[in-house]
Amino acid sequence: MSATKLTNREHWEAQEQELAKLVEAAVNAGGEKAVERLSKQGKQPVRNLIAKLIDPGTEFFELSTIAGFGMDYPGVPDIPGGGVVYGIGKIHGNWTMILGNDPRVKAGTYFPITLKKHMRAQAIAERCGLNCVYVADSGGAFLPMQAEIFPDDQQFGSMFFNMARMSAMGLKQITLSTGGNTAGGAYIVFMACQSVMIDKMAYSFLGGPPLVKAATGEDISAEDLGGAKIHTQVSGGADHLCKDQEDAVSKVREILSMEPPQSISIHRFEPKEPKQPVTDIYDNLPANVHQGIKTRTILKAIADDSEFLEYKKEYAKGRGDNIITGKIRLKGIPVGVIASNNAGIIFVEAARKATEWIVRCSQEKIPLLFIQASPGYMVGSQSEHMGIGKYGADMVRAVSCAQVPRIQIAIGPDNGAANYGMCGRAYKPHFLFHTMRSRTSVMSGRSAAFVLLSIEERKRAAQGNPLTEEEKIEFQNKMIAKYDGEAHPFYCGARLLSDKVLCFSEMRDWLAMAFEVSLLKPIGDPAFGNLRF
Ligand SMILES: CCC(=O)SCCNC(=O)CCNC(=O)[C@H](O)C(C)(C)COP(=O)(O)OP(=O)(O)OC[C@H]1O[C@@H](n2cnc3c(N)ncnc32)[C@H](O)[C@@H]1OP(=O)(O)O
């Protein structure tokens, strides 16, 4: 192996170890002490319950595990995992959205990031047509931050709005209540299509005993006010009484055993393993994230049979092939690819080719994979006069209007309007994945430092106090550090700008799962509005 490849491989393996540490911090929030505390209450950590909910021997595809780190909420620097766990797993063969509060993180209460994560899970479920299971164990709103979580759209009330509407669409909303779900949190039990409560462990009420005492003078225990027996035998607010968590898990599985089987809406070919090893990705992605990439190698390491049927391979070489287009199969699922290549700068020819391919795949009803490593569209008079603005806009329009499932994975720079054209978050891809090589920001730190420095220089010169050379360097370094920090996959993952930071070795399995889930609903017909051509 060449020295460069070895350097690359070691670099990315070390980077992914950093990721593993952060994931571990979320999974083991509170450490052994927190697990012991749960155990005294007869409870298991929520991920253990989820592992039992899904079919034996299958994988739980947990999303956004690194949410909530470094949020700097007043007095609470980290919310491990955002305080809620969610992901997709199979229950009786059907892909199902499973969410669970993590009571080890401030009693499973809802911070702004918790809500954002909960909403994202529901949005994926609604879009892909997944039944939902809620493992509910939450103290409700995190009260010190009520102003940022309570009344607005996409805040606390939206959880129940979403449950109601998904239920009306025929998507089952099942709640397994395994703790105190108080006040607003109680609706997660009462809004469900079917609710399972655990005796002497779960309770739900709009106002807890202290509030009742204050409001009416009534002295009553939590159990007598809204315990599992009260709601399953008296109020009718819940439907199944279970003796413990194991019993409750079995009941939820039994309820969902009556669901019809799912199938994907397009033809699936026989899956084949790639011929190229996954280590090719580690070896060939430069450790320097600003260095160009050879994306065909990456595709060969994830595609069935390492086959990439390239579209317009010969077109406008050196400009058009900063995006490569074509088809691969992922575990038998045909996928149209739009991938950054080389330096990834999008020239007119690349934008036109990408737009053409998006339209073509939409007509064929083939889902789209965007592999993003682009620092932006080409600037300058030649590019402007050739119409980069309008062709870039065409690409953005095609991305926006394509009815087929679209998934983005970033493996390099993700800047400027290239974030839009390559199906960034605002373009609502079904799933958006980052890797340790992705860097998402409006521009690179170096460019931002240059632009901001020129503004600062003008300002200081006008004040008659021009910047010294040392001040200029300090200013630039500060700006680069800020941008590098904010573009990093950890920063973005903490804020749910991605659905997961994937290891390169996970790309094939996760993309195949994501396409399969995204294809459970029928694909609409193409309609693109006013493309300029
Ligand atoms: C939309 C409207 C709403 O949701 S209003 C929300 C109203 N919520 C409530 O009244 C619930 C109050 N909390 C409780 O009753 C208990 O904490 C429950 C949820 C039963 C959990 O009890 P337990 O397992 O013993 O944990 P704990 O009390 O030691 O709490 C652990 C840490 O979490 C905190 N916590 C709890 N609830 C809230 C809350 N709603 N807002 C802010 N913080 C909350 C506790 O203070 C405690 O924090 P710390 O670990 O001591 O720093």
Side-chain angles (χ1 to χ4, degrees), residues 37 41 106-107 109 139-144 150 156 182-185 203:
R37 190 166 190 243
Q41 299 169 346
K106 291 282 179 196
T109 50
F142 182 71
L143 292 170
F150 175 54
F156 215 90
T182 311
Y203 43 89

Side-chain angles (χ1 to χ4, degrees), residues 180-249:
N181 293 286
T182 311
Y187 281 95
I188 202 121
V189 176
F190 304 138
M191 297 289 298
C193 304
Q194 295 200 42
S195 276
V196 174
M197 287 186 82
I198 302 170
D199 198 20
K200 299 190 178 63
M201 186 183 286
Y203 43 89
S204 276
F205 22 63
L206 302 191
L211 187 71
V212 171
K213 174 83 177 158
T216 68
E218 187 186 3
D219 221 337
I220 188 163
S221 70
E223 193 60 36
D224 290 340
L225 184 63
K229 281 206 178 88
I230 293 294
H231 288 308
T232 53
Q233 296 173 357
V234 182
S235 80
D239 314 292
H240 304 277
L241 177 67
C242 290
K243 62 178 191 304
D244 55 24
Q245 287 189 322
E246 301 284 338
D247 191 21
V249 164

